Amino acid sequence: MKRRDFTRECVFSIDPETARDLDDALHCRLIQEGQPGKATFQVGVHIADVSFFLRKGTALDNIARSRATSVYLVQKVIPMLPRLLCEELCSLNPAEERLAFSILWTLTEDGEV
């Protein structure tokens, strides 16, 4: 798998301000200006890549599989992974380079892909 560098993009989290683990992010960049309805944008969705730290078949992998997801309660969060991973090493924190899975779309200003 080839990695791409998105550090020059204006990537921002879509997680709430109170979140400790920033695992989702977006970017949007104008590719080409044009006549009304003809401008195109690149939109990227970036998800923290925990698989770099998590090896298949390990005890940590088995725990994560059994939990399947983090659980969010009113006063408490039960993370799927240890806090060191989800809040620090994998968290898409501002001004810190992190690994992520990304997908890119090219859209018109009318939202056509």
Side-chain angles (χ1 to χ4, degrees), residues 6 9-12 25-29 42-46 102-104:
F6 290 99
E9 301 294 340
C10 180
V11 179
F12 52 93
L26 295 172
H27 85 266
C28 183
R29 176 173 52 92
Q42 179 185 77
V43 176
V45 174
H46 312 281
S102 302
I103 186 163
L104 306 174

Side-chain angles (χ1 to χ4, degrees), residues 64-77:
R65 284 175 185 267
S66 69
R67 291 185 182 177
T69 187
S70 296
V71 177
Y72 296 88
L73 306 171
V74 175
Q75 297 289 331
K76 183 178 182 179
V77 175

Side-chain angles (χ1 to χ4, degrees), residues 28-96:
C28 183
R29 176 173 52 92
L30 178 65
I31 296 174
Q32 178 181 3
E33 289 194 54
Q35 301 170 356
K38 300 297 180 187
T40 55
F41 299 88
Q42 179 185 77
V43 176
V45 174
H46 312 281
I47 308 297
D49 178 5
V50 300
S51 68
F52 182 80
F53 298 94
L54 189 64
R55 298 293 174 233
K56 187 175 182 175
T58 62
L60 184 56
D61 179 43
N62 293 334
I63 290 168
R65 284 175 185 267
S66 69
R67 291 185 182 177
T69 187
S70 296
V71 177
Y72 296 88
L73 306 171
V74 175
Q75 297 289 331
K76 183 178 182 179
V77 175
I78 303 167
M80 181 175 72
L81 297 169
R83 291 191 187 278
L84 176 64
L85 283 177
C86 62
E87 294 177 13
E88 294 181 35
L89 298 175
C90 300
S91 192
L92 304 176
N93 296 320
E96 293 182 11

